[in-house]
């Protein structure tokens, strides 16, 4: 005759746990905003071209073999500050990628490294990487963004 009582307790416990879970997920998704943690910095996506540092995209040396690379993504291009979409850095360089998008959501994946971000309008996405191996690394878009999606690319070349 004790079984129904325990069943009731466990049923209540199960329902309670589910409710707590849903509330926590709901608060973090809708109230706090569901943005990647690196997207703490915001800007007006309409004014990217006038907002420093994105008014002058490209590579900036900020320390001893340390660089900041400001990149503006748009359909269907990465503006890395170079006509040929090629950025050269010396071996061992640490690069702080600083990227945003002017229009829709784009991906930001540097093949062969851990650099993999999502670029969302209104947010600045950052990721740092140290390049110890010389070679060419392809930056590509891994979020479908339209007819020219496959054309979005740039190259980081690490020289000896
Ligand atoms: Cu940009 Cu796909």
């Amino acid at each position: 005759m004790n079984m129904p009582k325990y069943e009731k307790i466990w049923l209540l416990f199960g329902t309670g746990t589910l409710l707590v879970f849903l509330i926590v997920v709901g608060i973090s998704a809708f109230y706090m905003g569901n943005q990647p943690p690196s997207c703490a910095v915001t800007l007006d996506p309409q004014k990217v071209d006038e907002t420093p540092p994105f008014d002058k995209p490209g590579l900036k040396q900020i320390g001893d073999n340390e660089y900041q690379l400001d990149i503006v993504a748009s359909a269907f291009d990465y503006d890395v500050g170079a006509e040929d979409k090629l950025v050269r850095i010396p071996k061992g360089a640490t690069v702080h990628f600083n990227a945003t998008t002017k229009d829709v959501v784009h991906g930001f994946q540097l093949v062969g490294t851990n650099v993999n971000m999502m670029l969302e309008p209104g947010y600045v996405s950052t990721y740092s990487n140290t390049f110890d191996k010389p070679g060419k690394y392809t930056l590509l878009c891994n979020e479908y963004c339209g007819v020219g999606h496959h054309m979005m690319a740039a190259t980081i070349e690490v020289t000896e």
Side-chain angles (χ1 to χ4, degrees):
M1 275 320 228
N2 272 337
M3 277 302 282
K5 188 180 146 199
Y6 283 113
E7 267 186 43
K8 217 185 239 176
I9 289 169
W10 282 109
L11 200 65
L12 272 174
F13 177 73
T15 312
T17 313
L18 182 65
L19 275 177
V20 168
F21 173 76
L22 288 176
I23 289 166
V24 168
V25 168
I27 287 173
S28 54
F30 299 106
Y31 179 66
M32 291 163 69
N34 192 11
Q35 302 301 338
S38 72
C39 289
V41 183
T42 57
L43 78 171
D44 184 346
Q46 310 286 323
K47 294 188 179 137
V48 171
D49 288 336
E50 301 129 61
T51 310
F54 299 108
D55 53 340
K56 289 187 187 74
L59 194 69
K60 288 133 197 167
Q61 184 155 13
I62 56 169
D64 185 24
N65 213 3
E66 191 176 353
Y67 302 83
Q68 179 173 321
L69 180 53
D70 299 312
I71 298 174
V72 177
S74 60
F76 302 97
D77 177 56
Y78 289 113
D79 190 344
V80 293
E83 227 17 79
D84 55 1
K85 307 285 162 212
L86 179 69
V87 176
R88 281 196 189 85
I89 49 164
K91 189 180 148 186
T94 296
V95 178
H96 304 287
F97 294 94
N98 203 33
T100 191
T101 164
K102 286 204 270 191
D103 38 44
V104 297
V105 170
H106 294 284
F108 189 103
Q109 183 180 8
L110 196 57
V111 180
T113 73
N114 285 333
V115 183
N116 193 348
M117 307 191 282
M118 193 176 172
L119 310 183
E120 293 173 82
Y123 292 87
V124 177
S125 300
T126 56
Y127 205 108
S128 299
N129 191 63
T130 300
F131 294 87
D132 293 321
K133 270 199 212 141
K136 279 187 177 178
Y137 298 84
T138 302
L139 170 66
L140 53 81
C141 183
N142 57 8
E143 290 284 339
Y144 183 73
C145 52
V147 287
H149 163 71
H150 62 283
M151 284 155 51
M152 286 188 72
T155 307
I156 311 286
E157 186 176 7
V158 181
T159 54
E160 276 286 2

